[in-house]
Amino acid sequence: MNKPKVVAVVGTNASGKSALGVRLAGTFDGEIISADSRQVFRGLDLGSGKITPEEMQGVPHYMIDVREPGEFFSMADFQRLAYEAIDDILARGKVPFLVGGTGLYVNAVADGYQLSGKMPDLSYRRELEKRTTAELYALLMQKCPQSDVEPNNRNRVMRVLEKLHDGDDTA
């Protein structure tokens, strides 16, 4: 079974990922999907290392300036739009390059995370945020005693509780 190939260029901040991605895409007839969680937002140019049109050197880029600041944009949104871009790039016989430093975005695409794409229940989240981490973990153990979430990892405990609340059986 032949799977479409996606080349990932990843690394730490200011390590030259964008320039390398442009060079590789230019050499191998590719196009770039930015995998940076801040670059999806319009106007967040300073401090994000957002590539300029000049630096793109004519190489098409996707996932830059696709939302307004403050607009909800999830990892599931990124994954869906990145897959659409990959399909489009491959359909034109080009090589897709996933370039950026947001590891979860890269992993969501490269590893094929199964994401629900459901909007979070903000009222339930506010309810959970009123509790201490110990109270949250106790509630999790009541609902799902087989859970192996670290007791002091507040964010993970809350996320599993949210998934259980939403009826997600992958929690």
Side-chain angles (χ1 to χ4, degrees), residues 26-98:
T27 301
F28 296 101
D29 197 24
E31 298 182 2
I32 293 175
I33 300 151
S34 171
D36 187 296
S37 62
R38 293 169 300 197
Q39 293 183 13
V40 298
F41 294 103
R42 291 181 193 95
L44 299 184
D45 300 354
L46 296 177
S48 72
K50 192 179 290 183
I51 192 167
T52 66
E54 296 79 29
E55 293 168 329
M56 291 179 186
Q57 298 179 18
V59 173
H61 281 64
Y62 301 81
M63 303 305 296
I64 295 177
D65 294 336
V66 297
R67 291 289 192 277
E68 292 296 328
E71 248 185 285
F72 182 78
F73 189 80
S74 69
M75 187 169 49
D77 293 327
F78 175 82
Q79 183 189 55
R80 178 180 48 78
L81 292 172
Y83 283 158
E84 288 173 10
I86 289 167
D87 289 346
D88 180 53
I89 293 166
L90 290 169
R92 288 181 287 102
K94 307 279 185 175
V95 178
F97 286 84
L98 190 60

Side-chain angles (χ1 to χ4, degrees), residues 123-145 147 149-165:
S123 64
Y124 185 65
R125 183 173 291 175
R126 281 190 297 274
E127 181 184 317
L128 293 176
E129 286 174 349
K130 295 175 186 174
R131 297 175 182 235
T132 68
T133 302
E135 291 170 334
L136 291 169
Y137 187 73
L139 181 60
L140 175 59
M141 289 298 98
Q142 271 181 333
K143 295 178 179 242
C144 187
S147 177
V149 174
E150 198 54 43
N152 294 323
N153 188 335
R154 180 178 180 83
N155 290 336
R156 287 284 299 134
V157 170
M158 285 179 57
R159 186 65 195 122
V160 173
L161 285 168
E162 287 175 339
K163 289 175 95 174
L164 290 168
H165 177 76

